[in-house]
Amino acid sequence: MLPPEEALIFPPPGGPEVINVINRTYSNAVQQEVILRSDARTPGQNYLKIELFGPQRAEDTGKDGLSSSSLRASSISREIRSAFPGAQLATSAEYLQNAYGAFSYASGRGAGDDSCIYAWQRIRSPEDMRQGFQNLGRINVTLRLCQSGVTTRDLLTVMYNYTITGSYDAAGWNPYGTAQKPPDGMGRSGNPTYPVTATEFPMQPGIQTPSAPAVQRSAPAVRRVVVQQQQPAAPPVVVSPAPARVLIPSPTGAMPGSARPADVAAPAPRPETRRVVIPSPDCASSGQGSQRCN
């Protein structure tokens, strides 16, 4: 048993949490089972298992060697049945690849609302690079993980973002192969580099740890909408306004049949007509109003 900080492989930041490490040494490899915390209802233990094949110390060479055929199709089926007794997991036909290369997985439902996966990966340099005692070694990685209230995509974030920290101090041990050359134009003028948008599998996985309750993902509510056939709209009824009643005052200012309303202005008084007598040319008027005609 080793403390968590001595693990040769770590899950991504954010979980699942490492509980302890079970370490075994063989004459040709080192094997570790990194035990992960689980709050699932499915029986069994979550773990990340890593097997590093390479040169060993002299005191370890007398032990039995670890079989290198643990990732064959026949052995994978037995491992899945042993890791998930009573559960039905189906192997996926998708081609997936993380930073270390291609990997495969099987997924299914566990007890309750648990989602479970069993993923495996073999890391080894290409055959044309394994020449002259260079780029040798091999790494096997397997993941057994069940979690409640999540999807298979959420569980796959562990396979996309785990980190291998262990290695052998040997010149020829390099299971990753020769590093690829940087892209053309990197570091040169005239080749701008832009930030990468978020992908489907972010660096921070959505796996819930026991300190935070698991999020139960319920099916979205379906609202039934009844569409009624629209009836033709009735033509609008146009109501003509009643004509305003206009009262025209009589010449004397009195309203017929009633007193004059206060809000109707009385007609202005007519000016008094003055009679003017214009004398003829043959008549002259005297001061007493009489006329004298010639």
Side-chain angles (χ1 to χ4, degrees), residues 80 88-92 105-109 115-118 152 155:
I80 293 177
Q88 297 294 330
L89 272 69
T91 302
S92 174
Y105 76 98
S107 62
R109 302 298 300 181
S115 295
C116 300
I117 65 169
Y118 189 84
T152 301
L155 299 179

Side-chain angles (χ1 to χ4, degrees), residues 14-280:
E17 180 185 358
V18 177
I19 303 301
N20 51 35
V21 178
I22 302 175
N23 188 86
R24 298 181 179 92
T25 58
Y26 298 87
S27 60
N28 62 339
V30 173
Q31 181 190 82
Q32 280 192 357
E33 286 189 23
V34 180
I35 306 302
L36 307 175
R37 184 181 295 275
S38 172
D39 60 351
R41 298 177 58 184
T42 305
Q45 180 64 58
N46 292 339
Y47 61 82
L48 259 174
K49 184 169 67 175
I50 184 172
E51 298 171 348
L52 284 81
F53 291 86
Q56 298 298 304
R57 296 178 299 181
E59 56 267 26
D60 297 331
T61 56
K63 298 181 181 180
D64 295 336
L66 181 64
S67 174
S68 61
S69 62
S70 58
L71 293 185
R72 292 181 179 178
S74 57
S75 61
I76 287 296
S77 299
R78 292 193 300 268
E79 292 180 12
I80 293 177
R81 290 193 298 268
S82 176
F84 303 96
Q88 297 294 330
L89 272 69
T91 302
S92 174
E94 296 176 316
Y95 177 83
L96 303 179
Q97 183 172 320
N98 58 17
Y100 297 102
F103 69 92
S104 302
Y105 76 98
S107 62
R109 302 298 300 181
D113 62 344
D114 292 353
S115 295
C116 300
I117 65 169
Y118 189 84
W120 61 94
Q121 183 173 18
R122 172 175 289 185
I123 303 171
R124 194 174 188 182
S125 62
E127 187 175 357
D128 56 350
M129 295 183 180
R130 300 193 299 267
Q131 298 177 0
F133 299 99
Q134 298 295 323
N135 300 320
L136 302 178
R138 184 172 63 255
I139 301 176
N140 292 341
V141 175
T142 54
L143 169 68
R144 191 270 189 197
L145 184 61
C146 283
Q147 189 74 30
S148 60
V150 297
T151 64
T152 301
R153 296 287 183 180
D154 295 329
L155 299 179
L156 283 175
T157 57
V158 178
M159 284 298 294
Y160 275 100
N161 299 293
Y162 72 78
T163 303
I164 297 175
T165 60
S167 63
Y168 286 104
D169 188 12
W173 190 87
N174 180 19
Y176 310 109
T178 304
Q180 299 181 2
K181 294 188 295 185
D184 295 338
M186 178 174 288
R188 300 178 183 178
S189 60
N191 293 274
T193 302
Y194 300 98
V196 180
T197 57
T199 60
E200 186 178 1
F201 298 97
M203 293 302 295
Q204 295 291 341
I207 305 299
Q208 298 291 335
T209 58
S211 58
V215 179
Q216 300 292 335
R217 297 188 176 183
S218 57
V222 179
R223 184 178 61 183
R224 185 177 181 183
V225 180
V226 179
V227 180
Q228 298 180 354
Q229 185 178 4
Q230 295 183 354
Q231 299 294 334
V237 179
V238 180
V239 180
S240 301
R245 187 179 180 184
V246 181
L247 299 179
I248 302 176
S250 63
T252 58
M255 303 299 296
S258 63
R260 184 179 61 203
D263 56 345
V264 179
R270 299 178 60 183
E272 183 181 356
T273 304
R274 184 178 180 182
R275 187 177 181 182
V276 179
V277 180
I278 302 175
S280 64

